[in-house]
Amino acid sequence: MSVPSSPSKDFIREIIDEDLSSGKHDSTVTRFPPEPNGYLHIGHAKSICLNFGIAEEYGGRCHLRFDDTNPSKEDVEYVDSIKEDIQWLGFDWGDHLYFASDYFDKLYKWAKHLIDEGKAYVDDQTFDEIRKGRGDLTTPGTDSPFRDRSAEENLELFKAMKKGEFDDGSKVLRAKIDMAHPNLNMRDPILYRIARAHHHRTGDEWCIYPMYDFTHGQSDALEYVTHSLCTLEFENHRPLYEWFLDNLPVPSQPRQIEFSRLNLNYTVMSKRKLLQLVEDNHVNGWDDPRMPTISGLRRRGYPPEAIRNFCKTIGITKFQSTNDMALLESGVRDVLNRDARRFMAVLDPLKVVITNYPEGQSEEIETVANPENPDAGMRHFSFSREIYIERDDFMEDPPKKYFRLSPGNEVRLRNAYFIKCEEVIKDADGNITELHCTYDTDTPRGENPSDGRKVKGVVHWVSAAHSVDATVRLYDRLFSVESPDSAEGTFLDHLNPDSLTEMPNAKLEGNLAGVPNGETVQFERLGYFCVDKESSAENRVFNRTVGLRDSWAKVKAKS
Ligand code: ATP
Ligand code: MG
């Protein structure tokens, strides 16, 4: 088969190239093997892009296999969300959807095979005793007093374990390898445990469950996986994985290759910690737009293309590193700058009355929907006597270099006229409630006045009579330190208290009423915003995906 050419291939693709050109394999089979005990996160996206990407590039196939050997933590909700997220990222497993639980019968037979061969035994020690007996990196383990049971006795006991004759945790099946092996994973690892737990697929059929290590490699072999790609923490499980392949009548010999995990700054990536954030209500569910989950990023408005590009940019290596969230965000901006339709919205409105504009009149303004994409066509919106501008685009007593609106000063309204502030209206407490301005009829849509005067400030606005109300949620980093995992205290001590700011009184350009849920658009001058799933015609909700520029770079530079 042909090998796709690329100037800089990662080490895994180089291995695959060799295996194809040497004739070791004539096609590739990879798999993505999530455990259905949580939602997928951006780290999983790296593995998904690698495994499904290889299948696409080499004309091979990639399986989706749920490694569901730990029923107490697993759930169909997770199975469904994982499928949805992979498809949303743009990948497809076709007919190749598998569950490790499909192999429970086979694995049980293989366990008996090891017993027959004198390579597995039933151990009556407690988990604690087993752990102590394993020794550590400097001390060899000690043999279990049950290690020398006969194959017949082991077989009877193992069958009785399966029949439910023993209590949970009272016996385990162990491989008989080497209690003095320098690799702790090889010191008679546990193969089966007794656990009366309801399984999301096999129900109550089993009361013994195979361990992950006894399942993973054999599942790969049963599926004829050629290259079993996993993260570095499995490197020292590889000898065990290979021991099983060598000692069982498996139909194929997959090769395990490890690569480094994706880590991102300003967030956490372990499923256990993400679950804790959800369960303790630090966020509003797995798909909270502040979460590094795929569903959270989707709800935040990230395009799947930006996530795929990010995974491609960081590449595949064996080096442990932490990637910069700013890199991901900058890729999100690149895609959205190209694709997002432009609109105007005012998040914190201040009313402006254009006193020399006739009451009851309005006019239509036409501009391009997206300057980066001529196919997006034109957009039309209204200008009228009363408009809203952003409260912080006005200062009553501005410092020297303030170019936005201030008393007596002139600015351009984006896509429309010059206005000049003539009067500031306040309530009894001295709060500014309204501005009275005049406009220059000579300056529509970006034209400069005939007398040649120029203004430096441009502010965005919406026509009050044509606006729609919305709540806009401004999201920021979930954690205020770069490495919440290694900072002092627990990761929860470093949650960013300002990670969510709600702007309940936003006024949107009327066109934004028609943007469908899930679309991400640009609010001019403000950033990219996505219609939230909770948005309705009565109660519009937008999420800020990302600002137009990296504001964190500035904050960091200052501090
Ligand atoms: P846990 O947090 O429970 O250890 P996990 O993150 O390893 O779980 P799995 O469901 O076992 O989750 O992962 C499925 C696949 O995704 C595995 O092959 C794993 O190596 C890979 N994976 C998980 N996290 C990352 C990451 N941060 N970067 C790259 N690949 C990852
Ligand atoms: Mg795992």
Side-chain angles (χ1 to χ4, degrees):
M1 90 162 275
S2 71
V3 166
S5 68
S6 151
S8 58
K9 278 195 179 175
D10 57 66
F11 75 100
I12 293 181
R13 286 172 169 89
E14 278 174 2
I15 292 174
I16 293 179
D17 287 352
E18 279 165 30
D19 288 348
L20 292 174
S21 46
S22 73
K24 180 176 177 193
H25 297 296
D26 54 14
S27 69
T28 63
V29 182
T30 49
R31 84 287 170 273
F32 175 65
E35 189 185 343
N37 63 353
Y39 280 60
L40 296 183
H41 52 60
I42 178 109
H44 292 114
K46 176 173 178 175
S47 176
I48 292 169
C49 289
L50 175 66
N51 283 292
F52 283 95
I54 285 172
E56 277 175 8
E57 290 155 40
Y58 290 87
R61 58 177 212 251
C62 180
H63 299 180
L64 170 58
R65 182 180 67 243
F66 288 97
D67 265 335
D68 51 353
T69 54
N70 191 1
S72 60
K73 289 191 177 159
E74 293 161 5
D75 200 281
V76 276
E77 176 196 347
Y78 299 134
V79 171
D80 294 341
S81 75
I82 289 170
K83 288 183 187 167
E84 184 184 355
D85 289 349
I86 296 172
Q87 283 170 331
W88 177 78
L89 277 173
F91 298 106
D92 184 9
W93 53 89
D95 296 332
H96 298 285
L97 172 64
Y98 304 100
F99 291 83
S101 53
D102 294 340
Y103 311 134
F104 280 175
D105 280 320
K106 191 86 194 181
L107 291 166
Y108 178 69
K109 281 197 191 104
W110 280 345
K112 288 193 295 184
H113 176 86
L114 288 181
I115 294 174
D116 287 340
E117 304 263 298
K119 291 173 184 164
Y121 61 97
V122 172
D123 194 342
D124 297 359
Q125 293 183 103
T126 63
F127 283 114
D128 221 30
E129 287 164 340
I130 292 175
R131 194 172 37 79
K132 282 195 193 118
R134 281 178 84 202
D136 55 34
L137 289 174
T138 49
T139 332
T142 44
D143 286 1
S144 160
F146 304 96
R147 199 171 195 261
D148 293 320
R149 280 175 160 154
S150 68
E152 292 72 31
E153 188 187 356
N154 280 318
L155 199 58
E156 284 318 304
L157 287 171
F158 186 51
K159 283 184 186 163
M161 276 170 67
K162 178 177 186 272
K163 278 197 206 137
E165 292 176 15
F166 306 115
D167 288 342
D168 285 14
S170 62
K171 286 185 171 32
V172 295
L173 182 73
R174 297 177 75 177
K176 192 169 178 177
I177 305 179
D178 178 0
M179 286 307 289
H181 200 287
N183 182 333
L184 267 71
N185 292 311
M186 301 296 276
R187 294 185 189 171
D188 292 10
I190 297 176
L191 308 182
Y192 267 89
R193 66 204 187 280
I194 307 173
R196 285 169 179 79
H198 188 81
H199 189 280
H200 72 112
R201 297 191 85 235
T202 59
D204 297 316
E205 191 186 334
W206 295 86
C207 67
I208 56 171
Y209 288 98
M211 300 301 287
Y212 180 86
D213 274 343
F214 187 63
T215 309
H216 192 82
Q218 291 94 300
S219 304
D220 284 344
L222 284 166
E223 292 174 19
Y224 295 88
V225 166
T226 54
H227 300 87
S228 174
L229 312 176
C230 62
T231 36
L232 283 174
E233 70 272 21
F234 293 104
E235 193 162 24
N236 56 13
H237 293 243
R238 184 168 9 110
L240 179 57
Y241 181 106
E242 287 170 354
W243 190 88
F244 291 132
L245 296 184
D246 290 342
N247 287 281
L248 291 170
V250 292
S252 79
Q253 295 278 331
R255 170 167 175 192
Q256 174 176 308
I257 308 170
E258 307 85 17
F259 62 96
S260 63
R261 293 176 87 85
L262 169 83
N263 297 303
L264 264 192
N265 58 6
Y266 296 104
T267 192
V268 294
M269 209 74 91
S270 121
K271 278 194 270 190
R272 186 180 56 75
K273 288 179 182 165
L274 295 176
L275 180 65
Q276 195 179 345
L277 289 172
V278 173
E279 287 189 334
D280 298 351
N281 297 309
H282 296 294
V283 295
N284 303 314
W286 284 97
D287 69 347
D288 185 298
R290 290 166 292 182
M291 290 281 271
T293 51
I294 306 293
S295 51
L297 300 175
R298 172 166 68 234
R299 191 169 168 196
R300 177 87 173 244
Y302 278 31
E305 181 184 350
I307 298 175
R308 293 195 305 266
N309 290 347
F310 176 68
C311 291
K312 196 177 275 175
T313 306
I314 61 172
I316 299 291
T317 68
K318 276 191 180 279
F319 306 111
Q320 306 267 20
S321 64
T322 298
N323 295 106
D324 196 345
M325 183 79 99
L327 181 68
L328 174 61
E329 288 174 344
S330 131
V332 168
R333 278 187 206 100
D334 288 345
V335 173
L336 292 176
N337 180 49
R338 186 195 67 200
D339 292 348
R341 296 193 280 161
R342 271 62 166 171
F343 298 95
M344 288 202 284
V346 173
L347 304 189
D348 182 15
L350 173 61
K351 185 175 265 187
V352 172
V353 181
I354 319 272
T355 52
N356 60 339
Y357 196 90
E359 271 180 61
Q361 191 174 309
S362 69
E363 65 194 84
E364 190 170 84
I365 293 176
E366 182 185 71
T367 182
V368 292
N370 176 357
E372 303 294 320
N373 176 13
D375 293 342
M378 305 303 288
R379 118 178 186 254
H380 302 92
F381 55 97
S382 300
F383 179 74
S384 65
R385 180 180 160 91
E386 294 194 356
I387 63 172
Y388 295 108
I389 65 166
E390 215 65 69
R391 199 162 269 279
D392 73 1
D393 277 337
F394 174 78
M395 274 184 96
E396 194 173 16
D397 194 11
K400 241 190 175 168
K401 294 221 162 165
Y402 188 81
F403 298 120
R404 287 170 283 163
L405 199 59
S406 58
N409 188 34
E410 202 170 28
V411 295
R412 172 177 292 289
L413 293 177
R414 184 158 174 86
N415 301 309
Y417 301 97
F418 279 21
I419 58 167
K420 186 175 188 175
C421 177
E422 311 282 359
E423 196 184 348
V424 180
I425 314 291
K426 295 182 183 172
D427 64 14
D429 301 326
N431 302 310
I432 301 173
T433 54
E434 204 171 286
L435 302 177
H436 286 183
C437 296
T438 51
Y439 83 116
D440 180 344
T441 57
D442 200 21
T443 58
R445 270 150 274 169
E447 283 163 38
N448 285 320
S450 42
D451 65 7
R453 78 186 192 280
K454 295 208 166 104
V455 300
K456 282 202 168 144
V458 179
V459 302
H460 60 274
W461 56 277
V462 297
S463 164
H466 304 89
S467 68
V468 293
D469 296 340
T471 296
V472 175
R473 297 175 182 155
L474 303 179
Y475 293 104
D476 202 342
R477 311 250 152 111
L478 187 51
F479 292 93
S480 44
V481 297
E482 280 214 45
S483 351
D485 282 324
S486 55
E488 208 176 304
T490 84
F491 73 107
L492 294 173
D493 296 335
H494 303 284
L495 282 163
N496 175 5
D498 302 318
S499 61
L500 169 59
T501 310
E502 285 222 328
M503 307 297 285
N505 304 312
K507 300 285 183 186
L508 313 180
E509 177 184 322
N511 288 321
L512 282 164
V515 174
N517 283 15
E519 180 172 345
T520 306
V521 299
Q522 186 187 104
F523 291 176
E524 293 186 273
R525 291 186 68 230
L526 294 177
Y528 297 97
F529 293 79
C530 173
V531 187
D532 188 69
K533 68 172 188 188
E534 286 171 1
S535 189
S536 65
E538 301 74 47
N539 199 353
R540 285 177 197 80
V541 182
F542 279 75
N543 298 324
R544 181 168 68 193
T545 310
V546 66
L548 291 178
R549 274 169 290 276
D550 183 1
S551 54
W552 272 72
K554 269 185 273 162
V555 174
K556 270 199 290 187
K558 267 194 222 153
S559 61

